[in-house]
Amino acid sequence: MTLVSNDRSYWPLINSFRFSSYFIVASFAAVVYDWTLTFRQEFELVWKQRWSLMSILYLAVRYAVMPYTITLMLISLPLVSLTDKVSSTAYFALNWTTFSINTMLCVITITRLHAMYQQSRKMLIFLIAIAASLTVTSGVVGEMVNIHVSGEELILSNTHVCTYDTGTAELPITMIWILSIIWEVLALCLALWVYVKHFRERSRSSAGKIVGDCFTVLIKTHMLYFVSFIVVSCFNSGYLSPSLANSLSTGAGVYYGVLEIMSFTQMFVLGPRLILGIREFNAKLVADSDVGISMVTIDFQERVHESTVSSV
C-alpha cells in the first residue's frame, strides 16, 4: 500500500535517494567514457571478427549496463512513480540481471583458464563442475531472498521513493557473497599456479617468450578484475552492519556511491577487458610478427591457424 506523507522527518530519506542517484549517473558516465576510449579496439577486435561465444559474452556484458542502469534509476530516482508491484518487479529484475552478468563473467573466466591449461579436458570438467554447483546454489539462495522481499512506494513531499522489506535476508545474501569469493579465489589461484609453472618451465626460444607474454597479459587483466571484485565484496560486507545499512547520513551516501562506482567498474569495464585485453595482445602480435610460425590462437580470438600465440 502506497504511503503518502508531507512529514519533514522523511526529508533525509528523500535526500539520500537523490544523492545516490547522482552516483548512479556518475557510474554510468564512467562506463560510457571507457566505452568511447575502447570502441575502436572493440570494433576491430569484436565486431569485425568472426562471431564466437566470447564475442557474444563480451557484447552481452558490455551493453548490459544500459538495462541495468535504467532499472537502478527507476528504483532510486525520486521523480519516478512506481507501484508496489512494479517496485518489486524492478528489484527482482535488477538482482537477476546482476546474477546473469556474474554468470557470463564466470564463463569467460572458465574459458581463460581452460586456454591457460592448454585446453585440458580434465581441467574444463573440473571448472564447469565447481562453477555450476556454486552458480546454481547462488541462484537458488537468491530466489529465496527475492520471494521474501516486498517493495513499497512512498510519496513523500511530492517525491516518489521505493523502499524494500528484505526481512531476514542478511544470512542468505552473505552466503551468495561467500560463494562468489570462493570461485574468484579459486580461479585466481589456478591462474597464478599455471603462470608460475609455465614461467619456470618455458624455454628461451622466441616462441616461448611470446607465450610467456600472453600469460602475463592474462594474469594482469585477471589481477585487476580480482582486486576490483575484492573491493566490491568488502564494501558489500559493510552493509551487514545495521548502523550503516539504515543510516541516512552523507557519509553512508558516499559509501554507497563508491560501492556503485566500483561495481560498475568491475562488471562493465574490467569484465569485458578480460576478453578485449587478450584480443588486443593477439592483434599486436600478428601485426608485429616477422616469422610465419603457424599456431593456434587462444579461444578469445578464434580457433584458426595464424601467426600468433600458441593455444594457451
Side-chain angles (χ1 to χ4, degrees):
M1 181 177 179
T2 302
L3 172 66
V4 181
S5 175
N6 292 319
D7 192 340
R8 293 191 176 187
S9 63
Y10 285 110
W11 284 10
L13 179 62
I14 299 172
N15 292 332
S16 176
F17 272 80
R18 182 176 290 111
F19 193 59
S20 66
S21 66
Y22 298 155
F23 279 97
I24 295 171
V25 173
S27 301
F28 179 72
V31 174
V32 172
Y33 176 72
D34 178 76
W35 177 75
T36 60
L37 293 179
T38 60
F39 180 74
R40 182 176 179 180
Q41 294 96 311
E42 176 185 313
F43 181 75
E44 294 292 334
L45 304 175
V46 179
W47 290 101
K48 291 181 66 175
Q49 302 298 320
R50 290 177 56 188
W51 286 92
S52 66
L53 175 60
M54 288 300 105
S55 299
I56 295 173
L57 289 176
Y58 173 88
L59 296 174
V61 173
R62 186 62 153 172
Y63 293 96
V65 66
M66 296 179 182
Y68 183 89
T69 304
I70 291 173
T71 305
L72 197 56
M73 289 298 294
L74 288 175
I75 294 174
S76 304
L77 199 61
L79 302 178
V80 179
S81 175
L82 299 177
T83 63
D84 294 352
K85 185 175 182 179
V86 174
S87 299
S88 299
T89 301
Y91 180 87
F92 301 155
L94 187 65
N95 283 347
W96 280 111
T97 300
T98 304
F99 175 79
S100 300
I101 293 170
N102 288 331
T103 300
M104 289 186 286
L105 291 172
C106 182
V107 174
I108 293 172
T109 301
I110 290 175
T111 307
R112 287 164 60 93
L113 289 172
H114 181 224
M116 293 178 74
Y117 279 83
Q118 299 181 352
Q119 301 181 2
S120 168
R121 184 182 182 87
K122 293 182 178 179
M123 179 56 66
L124 179 61
I125 294 174
F126 171 76
L127 291 172
I128 292 177
I130 297 296
S133 60
L134 294 176
T135 301
V136 170
T137 303
S138 297
V140 172
V141 174
E143 183 59 25
M144 291 172 59
V145 172
N146 289 340
I147 291 175
H148 295 91
V149 171
S150 58
E152 181 181 10
E153 182 190 25
L154 309 181
I155 302 178
L156 310 174
S157 301
N158 295 322
T159 60
H160 302 269
V161 175
C162 294
T163 60
Y164 298 93
D165 180 12
T166 58
T168 57
E170 287 80 7
L171 180 58
I173 292 175
T174 304
M175 289 179 58
I176 295 175
W177 292 342
I178 292 175
L179 293 173
S180 299
I181 291 173
I182 290 174
W183 167 253
E184 293 296 341
V185 171
L186 174 63
L188 179 65
C189 290
L190 290 173
L192 288 175
W193 186 84
V194 73
Y195 174 74
V196 172
K197 179 182 177 182
H198 177 80
F199 183 80
R200 289 177 177 178
E201 296 178 351
R202 74 182 185 179
S203 65
R204 295 181 179 275
S205 66
S206 59
K209 183 178 184 303
I210 289 173
V211 176
D213 291 342
C214 181
F215 268 63
T216 301
V217 172
L218 285 166
I219 289 297
K220 285 182 178 179
T221 54
H222 197 109
M223 283 298 298
L224 285 173
Y225 175 79
F226 179 78
V227 169
S228 68
F229 172 83
I230 292 298
V231 171
V232 171
S233 297
C234 291
F235 270 84
N236 274 321
S237 64
Y239 278 102
L240 296 176
S241 171
S243 59
L244 177 62
N246 300 322
S247 176
L248 300 177
S249 65
T250 301
V254 172
Y255 186 95
Y256 171 82
V258 174
L259 172 59
E260 284 300 325
I261 292 175
M262 291 304 303
S263 297
F264 271 70
T265 301
Q266 179 223 337
M267 291 190 293
F268 306 119
V269 175
L270 297 179
R273 288 195 179 192
L274 292 174
I275 296 175
L276 198 62
I278 191 62
R279 287 198 171 188
E280 185 175 7
F281 172 81
N282 284 341
K284 289 181 179 179
L285 187 62
V286 172
D288 298 339
S289 177
D290 293 325
V291 294
I293 302 175
S294 179
M295 301 178 184
V296 183
T297 64
I298 194 170
D299 284 350
F300 296 89
Q301 192 69 9
E302 288 296 337
R303 294 184 181 179
V304 297
H305 291 273
E306 55 185 313
S307 301
T308 180
V309 186
S310 176
S311 57
V312 191

